[in-house]
Amino acid sequence: MNNKNAFRDYLQMEKKYSPHTVNAYLTDLGCFETFNKLQFDQENIDQVNYNQIRSWIVSLVDDNLSNVTVNRKIASLKAFYKFLLKTKQVEVSPLLKHKALKVPKMLQIPFSEKEVADALTHMQNPIGFEEIRNKLIVDLFYTTGMRRTELIHLKLMNVNLSSCVIKVLGKRNKERILPVLPIISEQFSLYVQERLCLESIVDNDYIFLTKKGLKLNDTFVYRLINSYFSAVSEKVKKSPHILRHTFATHLLNNGADLNSVKELLGHSSLASTQIYTHNSLSELKKVYKNAHPRNQK
């Protein structure tokens, strides 16, 4: 595909997307390229019309892909044509008037404070490297709201236990400093001591490792959180992202302001953070009901 390498460089260098995101964009482009070649005998997708793209959308839907997945693939295509516009290789994007497929709003239900407390109670007095590591991971997600990839890529050099702060690398390589509670610093110290006792360490720069000394991966961390919370919660989704969601919701429920939560989460705009206010509505109603003078009569 013409411009594929240039587009990849644009995503990496200018947009500062992660390797995982860049690969997803290029994979989606490759899928459309293959479809276009088979259906329209056209190898170069730099110059296509919307009817061709619409045919691809129909084929994706016929393959039983969800609207969310289809929208993601079209977003990759839209980014490619936006790049071509930016570099003056096309005058109009074929997706200029495209409207995304409708998707039902999925309510992310956070864990209750009791569920989190119960999960941590089950992890009390951890013994050995793996138990100590697992408890620290759960506590770190809940007390900082960091993303799964941020935790996986956390490095030893970015943790300052004496100052109780850690530096994480977020989306688009944006760094932010997160405070950690003294009790988390203590857990860090305990974990680092256990980490030193591993027989071999392959990925030495990274904090969180398997017992074989390898950096953790996405699936490992997801299964870890799902396993511990399956014992205390009947919610359908039990993931690191739900713990991040829980962190934000519990802060707001307990009086934190939206801007502070925005900074802690590493959001670029308040619009992204405001979704968590919906989950705080029940708490807000309680405060309102108890505080408003009209309800005191």
Side-chain angles (χ1 to χ4, degrees), residues 103-208:
V103 295
K105 287 189 177 180
M106 300 294 289
L107 187 61
Q108 301 278 1
I109 303 174
F111 298 118
S112 67
E113 291 188 28
K114 183 180 183 304
E115 286 173 328
V116 176
D118 287 347
L120 292 173
T121 297
H122 286 185
M123 305 174 79
Q124 270 187 341
N125 305 316
I127 299 173
F129 170 76
E130 291 184 293
E131 287 187 11
I132 291 170
R133 176 201 61 200
N134 294 353
K135 185 174 190 304
L136 176 57
I137 287 174
V138 173
D139 251 331
L140 204 56
F141 274 133
Y142 180 56
T143 59
T144 67
M146 68 171 59
R147 300 176 178 94
R148 175 169 45 177
T149 55
E150 292 170 347
L151 180 133
I152 289 171
H153 292 94
L154 196 60
K155 295 185 176 181
L156 283 168
M157 61 182 288
N158 292 332
V159 176
N160 188 331
L161 296 181
S162 59
S163 299
C164 288
V165 295
I166 56 178
K167 181 173 23 175
V168 298
L169 189 64
K171 287 186 175 180
R172 303 187 186 183
N173 291 324
K174 289 182 180 178
E175 291 184 344
R176 70 184 187 282
I177 305 295
L178 294 175
V180 293
L181 299 173
I183 191 171
I184 305 301
S185 287
E186 292 173 13
Q187 288 186 53
F188 258 119
S189 296
L190 181 61
Y191 168 70
V192 170
Q193 289 174 21
E194 291 290 331
R195 186 181 180 280
L196 290 171
C197 297
L198 290 174
E199 288 186 13
S200 66
I201 295 180
V202 179
D203 297 317
N204 193 51
D205 289 342
Y206 298 96
I207 288 180
F208 291 110

Side-chain angles (χ1 to χ4, degrees), residues 27-92:
T27 299
D28 292 338
L29 284 183
C31 288
F32 179 60
E33 182 184 32
T34 300
F35 173 83
N36 206 50
K37 185 176 180 180
L38 291 173
Q39 295 296 318
F40 301 102
D41 195 26
Q42 182 181 5
E43 293 192 12
N44 190 348
I45 66 167
D46 291 8
Q47 303 289 337
V48 299
N49 58 56
Y50 183 65
N51 287 334
Q52 290 169 269
I53 296 174
R54 183 172 175 78
S55 295
W56 186 45
I57 294 173
V58 171
S59 75
L60 294 174
V61 173
D62 287 344
D63 286 340
N64 293 320
L65 268 64
S66 69
N67 285 6
V68 171
T69 301
V70 174
N71 284 343
R72 192 211 71 217
K73 290 180 177 295
I74 298 304
S76 299
L77 209 57
K78 188 176 285 189
F80 176 65
Y81 290 117
K82 187 176 180 181
F83 165 72
L84 295 183
L85 277 170
K86 189 180 177 105
T87 53
K88 301 186 183 323
Q89 296 179 69
V90 297
E91 293 182 1
V92 180

